[in-house]
Each structure stands twice: as C-alpha cells, then as structure tokens.
Amino acid sequence: MNLDQAHFTQLYRYFSVTPARFGVLTNGVEYRFFSDLDDRNKLDDQPFFRFDLLDHNDRDLEELKKFSKSDFEVDNILGSASQLKYISLIQEEFSSLITDVPEDFVKFIVSRVYEGRMTQSVVSEFKPTVYDAIQQFIREQVDTRLKKALNSSDLSVNDVMRSDPAEKEAEPEDGIETTQEEIDAYNIVRALVCDKVDIERVVMRDTKSYCGILLDDNNRKPICRLRFNGKSIKRVEFFDDEADRVEIKDIKDIFLFKDRLLNTLDKYIQ
C-alpha cells in the first residue's frame, strides 16, 4: 500500500497511549520511523527516517543499524533524528526548487549578480537563465563523478559485445554499429541502477534502429532504449508508467532520469 494514504492515524493513536519513543509505519518494503520531536507524546506528522528495501544507500544502512538490538540507544537516535528529519524535508524542497524555480529564489540569486533595478520583468527574464545555470551545474558535477566511474570500469565496444555472446551469435546483421556514445550511455545506466540490481544482469543489445538495454538479456524486460544512430537529435525511450521517448542534449542528461530507470526495474523484480 501507499503509506501516504493509509494507517498513519492508527499509528498516531497507538503512540499516544504508550511510553514508546518511536513508531514505525511499513508496508513490508518501505519503513518510516517517527518520533515526537515537535511535541512530546504527540507523533510527528513527518518521519525522521525512511528506509526502502529496494532503494537505499550506505548512509541509510548506517542509520538503520542504530535500531539493531546491540546498538539501540534512545538518546543517541533522538540526538540525530531532528537533523535527519529536516535534511530529508530540505532535500524534497530542493528537488522541487530545481524543477520549478520559484520567483523568490530567482530574486535572491539575481540580486547577487545583477546591478540593475530589480523589477518583475527582470525576474521573469532571468528565471530561465537561473534554471539553465542550475541544470548545467548539476550536469557538470555529474560529469566529474561519471569520469571517475568510467575510469574504474571503462568498457570498450569489444568488451560489451563479449559480455553478450548469445546476442553476437544471434544477430550478425550488417549495418549494426555500436558507437562510443552508446557504450558511455550504457555505462551510465549501469551506474544508476547498480544499487538495485547486479550490473552483470544489465545487458546491451544493439540493433539497426536502436540500442536496447535489457535486464537479464530479456526482450520483455527493457530498461531503456537509446535512439542515437549518429543523428544530431538523441532520444531515450523509457518503459516506466509514463512510457515515452525523451529528447536529450547530452548523454550525461541520462543521470536526470535515474528515478524512471529504477521505477522500470521495480516492475521486473517485484
């Protein structure tokens, strides 16, 4: 069940009549940890920690370990709970900010770089510029990390074809050329999904019309399709609930669609 839509009120009632300091709401996959950080003996509306069995990182594991029997200390957990809660809420706000930049933020940024009079027309004119600057900054940061990742696991075209011997035998058609851009994009996809599945299960299968990235080398489990083929316009086809083709300017833009790739994998591994 979607935990945003059910059972919180039941947990709220339980918490108010027990001496417990923590309440956990779960559907068996996602776990939300609550406490009474705002008002004592009154369960907070927002969890201070979330743990997803299908989508977590090392930092999440470290926080979860605090609830193990050998490490459980109420004061220690409460000491970091408030910070965890507000970090999570701030991250959500930041995610919203970089997709739809509010005017107040535009004014704040522009006032630090623009010496003219701050009018509504100036704010409106600068809004797309601020958005582009944010996106470019994110891409550059991602590019730096990508270079480090590729240096540690750089694959050539021949490496990829060897990783898929069955396909090499099955599709010897002329005219199929796997480009370095497709290899790099394949590496990006593998880097984005490695926390959810073993990257050895992520296979590239190139065809004349597109380059497919599959789970378990299964045509019925497409993760995405790269529609580059040497054209100036690059598109990536996704297979989550929205199922569409998205135009990208640079292969690094694939990093912006991590959630869509993970949502697609969720459909195959549930």
Side-chain angles (χ1 to χ4, degrees):
M1 297 187 70
N2 186 333
L3 297 183
D4 290 326
Q5 300 173 355
H7 301 304
F8 174 78
T9 55
Q10 184 180 10
L11 181 64
Y12 185 97
R13 292 196 303 271
Y14 287 171
F15 188 86
S16 64
V17 295
T18 72
R21 298 304 311 277
F22 305 107
V24 183
L25 183 63
T26 183
N27 55 17
V29 176
E30 181 184 358
Y31 293 76
R32 298 184 181 183
F33 293 76
F34 295 83
S35 188
D36 54 353
L37 302 175
D38 296 333
D39 292 308
R40 188 64 186 269
N41 298 325
K42 181 179 178 182
L43 198 67
D44 296 336
D45 293 334
Q46 297 291 333
F48 67 86
F49 175 52
R50 300 172 189 240
F51 188 86
D52 193 324
L53 290 175
L54 304 179
D55 184 14
H56 56 268
N57 54 37
D58 291 342
R59 187 182 305 162
D60 295 333
L61 289 172
E62 289 301 316
E63 291 299 329
L64 186 64
K65 285 178 182 178
K66 295 178 181 179
F67 287 91
S68 63
K69 184 175 181 179
S70 59
D71 294 338
F72 186 79
E73 294 182 10
V74 173
D75 292 339
N76 183 35
I77 298 174
L78 288 174
S80 60
S82 181
Q83 184 182 25
L84 279 175
K85 174 183 175 181
Y86 287 106
I87 285 178
S88 176
L89 293 174
I90 289 171
Q91 286 176 335
E92 291 177 7
E93 289 298 318
F94 184 73
S95 176
S96 175
L97 182 148
I98 63 176
T99 55
D100 184 16
V101 186
E103 287 193 357
D104 288 344
F105 183 76
V106 176
K107 290 179 182 178
F108 169 74
I109 292 294
V110 174
S111 66
R112 302 173 71 89
V113 298
Y114 179 69
E115 297 180 356
R117 184 167 173 264
M118 189 68 62
T119 64
Q120 184 60 44
S121 61
V122 170
V123 174
S124 298
E125 183 179 349
F126 267 100
K127 186 171 183 178
T129 304
V130 172
Y131 173 82
D132 290 342
I134 293 173
Q135 297 299 319
Q136 183 175 332
F137 175 78
I138 293 173
R139 282 195 294 268
E140 288 174 353
Q141 295 300 306
V142 165
D143 187 33
T144 300
R145 293 182 175 228
L146 173 61
K147 288 178 180 178
K148 292 180 180 178
L150 292 180
N151 286 338
S152 62
S153 60
D154 192 18
L155 294 180
S156 67
V157 173
N158 290 333
D159 291 331
V160 174
M161 296 309 293
R162 282 198 299 271
S163 71
D164 187 15
E167 178 57 26
K168 188 174 181 180
E169 296 176 4
E171 286 193 6
E173 296 94 345
D174 294 334
I176 298 178
E177 179 183 357
T178 303
T179 67
Q180 189 59 49
E181 273 194 331
E182 289 171 332
I183 298 297
D184 291 343
Y186 170 58
N187 278 327
I188 291 174
V189 172
R190 296 210 313 170
L192 291 175
V193 304
C194 66
D195 287 339
K196 187 172 289 283
V197 297
D198 185 339
I199 60 173
E200 296 301 323
R201 297 177 62 189
V202 181
V203 175
M204 184 169 75
R205 181 181 297 188
D206 207 356
T207 70
K208 288 185 178 181
S209 57
Y210 62 82
C211 179
I213 300 178
L214 312 171
L215 179 67
D216 299 330
D217 197 15
N218 188 335
N219 274 329
R220 295 184 179 181
K221 297 180 179 180
I223 300 173
C224 67
R225 288 175 180 169
L226 311 174
R227 296 185 177 272
F228 298 172
N229 295 333
K231 299 178 181 178
S232 58
I233 298 178
K234 298 180 178 63
R235 292 186 175 89
V236 180
E237 185 173 359
F238 295 98
F239 295 89
D240 56 355
D241 293 336
E242 298 179 29
D244 59 357
R245 298 178 186 178
V246 177
E247 183 176 330
I248 61 174
K249 296 180 181 180
D250 188 281
I251 62 169
K252 295 189 294 295
D253 293 342
I254 296 174
F255 275 95
L256 302 175
F257 300 99
K258 177 179 179 179
D259 288 343
R260 298 197 63 176
L261 296 171
L262 295 179
N263 288 340
T264 299
L265 284 173
D266 283 341
K267 298 194 300 183
Y268 304 145
I269 62 180
Q270 285 180 352

